[in-house]
Each structure stands twice: as structure tokens, then as C-alpha cells.
Amino acid sequence: MIYIILSIFCSVTVAVLLKLAKRYQISIIQAVSINYLTALILCFLFFKPDVSLLNPSAPWPIYIALAVLLPVIFLFLAASVKNLGIVKTDIAQRLSLFIPILAAYFIFKEDFNQLKFIGIAVGFLAIILTFFRKTEHKSKSNNWIYPIMVFIGFGVIDVLFKQIALYKELPYTTSLFVVFCLAFLVSLIIVTIMVVGRKTKIQLVNIGCGLILGLFNFGNILFYLKAHRAFSANPSTVFTAMNLGVIIAGTLIGIVVFKEKLSQLNYIGIVLAICAVILITLSQLNAV
């Protein structure tokens, strides 16, 4: 259980760091770039990926798609935390699990039971209620687009990672290393273009933030994988505890520490989000 707790802690800490980035005038794209450099170094040290196994038949299109999506969605994640707070952003990220579930039904023709259909319906209702807010200023009327992009982006990323996991010719950790490497290159290109265009300046504070961000981002992945190994006979335990833990911890920190304001409908949405995760988990248990 300690691995699940550590994974939840790392995941929520990433959101907290992104929330603090505005206060300390951190360049998110610079921090994201260093974050992936840190993650790939840690991936090399902990997982010892065998890059000699890479060949032209490896799933390079998926690697490249992930390399572009990861830094881009990270920017949307930061914008969502900045504009709508940790609570709504964490729920958007966690409920993105419905994207691969829908892909399993419509693309991979997986059989669904009644509980899973109910869970999906409750989940989408939760999304609507959680993101609902009264428009205070016209300039903020499009803020909902950030968590929606987080929802879609992380869902698509999950589907792509699942496709990599199905590629048995390469160890998953080697593919993960390649994705981190390419994601770092993509984010580095973006930073270089911005520096040349004088839209940003390289600062040590951004590098420091990126190192910390990368440490917790990788820690989330490392402890999540360790938790699945520890509970290999019951993966739904990890799935449920992780998703519920992040939603609850993120909500408490957002409300107590950052004084984020939520409406009654938002609170109902949070409760429904928790119910949706439980229903999806129960549906998976019944399918076994």
C-alpha cells in the first residue's frame, strides 16, 4: 500500500508545483523540458532500458505521437491548474480513463457489462458538473477548454501507452525511455524557438523547477508500476486506490491550501466522479 500512497503523493505534488509556478514566474515550457530530461535520466538509472533492441519495426509512429502529445498536454495541464485549480484539473485527468474504455468498446470491440455502461454515464455527468462554473468575466469564458483538453489528451495518451504495452518485441521500460527521450527533444525545440524569438529567457529557477517536477513525475510512474507488481493478483486495487486517492487528495489540497471555490454542483460532480471510478472498477471485477 505504501507504493500507492507514494504514487498519489507524487501525482498531487506535480499539480501543486504547477499551481505555484505562476506565483514564482516559472516558464512552464522550460520546466517541462527539464522535467523530461530528468525523467529519462531516472528511467535509465532505475529501469536499465536495452536500447540495442530498438529496430525499424518498433512502433515509431506511436513513439512520435506521444513525444508531441506529452509536452503539449503538460502545457494544457499547467494552464488548467492555473485557471481552474487543482480540484477540477485532477478530476479531468483521472476521468480521462473513459477515453481508453470507449476505445476498447468501439475500436477493440470489447464486451461491456451493465455496470460499465452506468459508470461511463455517471462519469460524463460528473465531468459536466465538475467543470460547471458561472462566468465571472468574458475573458475567462473559455477556461473550460483547458480541463477538456486535459481529459481528451490524457485519455489519448493512455490509449497510445496501452498500444505500446501490447508490443511484446520490446520491454515496456525501453519504450518508455524512448518516449521520454523524444518528448525532451520536442520540448527542447519549442524552448529554442521561443528563446530565439525572444519570447522567453533561460533562467536557473526554471531549470530547478523542472528538476523537481521531473523527479515527482517519474516517481508517480515508478511507484505506480511497483504498486501493480505488489498487487499483481488484484490490479483493480491499484486502479481504484490511485484514482480515488488523487481525486480526494487533490480536492482537499485545492480547497484547504489554495482556497479554491467550488459550487454545490461542483461538489456533486466530485462525488459522482468517485462513484464512476468505483462502478468502473466493479465492472472490471465482474468481467473477470
Side-chain angles (χ1 to χ4, degrees), residues 53-258:
L53 296 174
L54 290 169
N55 55 63
S57 64
W60 289 104
I62 298 177
Y63 291 160
I64 293 168
L66 282 169
V68 174
L69 275 174
L70 283 171
V72 170
I73 293 303
F74 218 125
L75 295 179
F76 277 107
L77 183 70
S80 182
V81 169
K82 174 184 172 183
N83 289 281
L84 288 180
I86 293 173
V87 178
K88 296 181 180 182
T89 302
D90 272 340
I91 291 173
Q93 186 176 349
R94 291 300 140 188
L95 288 183
S96 66
L97 64 95
F98 294 116
I99 302 290
I101 287 172
L102 290 173
Y105 181 74
F106 288 106
I107 299 175
F108 302 110
K109 307 302 180 183
E110 181 182 318
D111 289 331
F112 275 29
N113 56 33
Q114 193 173 13
L115 270 180
K116 189 165 286 190
F117 279 118
I118 295 171
I120 291 171
V122 171
F124 279 115
L125 181 58
I127 291 168
I128 294 169
L129 294 179
T130 304
F131 295 165
F132 180 83
R133 66 182 292 181
K134 292 180 180 179
T135 304
E136 298 171 0
H137 302 287
K138 289 184 179 179
S139 61
K140 294 185 177 181
S141 61
N142 291 326
N143 281 346
W144 58 269
I145 196 68
Y146 300 124
I148 293 294
M149 289 304 295
V150 168
F151 170 77
I152 296 172
F154 275 99
V156 172
I157 286 169
D158 194 21
V159 172
L160 293 176
F161 270 124
K162 277 178 169 51
Q163 287 183 301
I164 287 177
L166 293 173
Y167 187 78
K168 302 301 182 183
E169 282 73 16
L170 277 176
Y172 183 74
T173 49
T174 299
S175 292
L176 192 63
F177 177 78
V178 173
V179 169
F180 280 149
C181 218
L182 293 175
F184 168 64
L185 290 175
V186 169
S187 57
L188 189 62
I189 290 169
I190 297 172
V191 170
T192 302
I193 292 171
M194 292 181 72
V195 170
V196 171
R198 296 184 178 180
K199 292 182 179 180
T200 187
K201 291 191 294 186
I202 302 295
Q203 294 177 306
L204 286 177
V205 67
N206 299 323
I207 296 173
C209 182
L211 289 170
I212 298 170
L213 198 63
L215 181 65
F216 284 104
N217 203 15
F218 178 78
N220 178 30
I221 296 169
L222 176 65
F223 294 126
Y224 187 67
L225 291 175
K226 283 183 175 292
H228 269 294
R229 287 179 184 175
F231 290 91
S232 57
N234 194 8
S236 61
T237 300
V238 180
F239 173 83
T240 309
M242 183 65 191
N243 284 283
L244 293 182
V246 170
I247 290 173
I248 294 168
T251 299
L252 290 174
I253 291 173
I255 295 171
V256 176
V257 179
F258 294 102

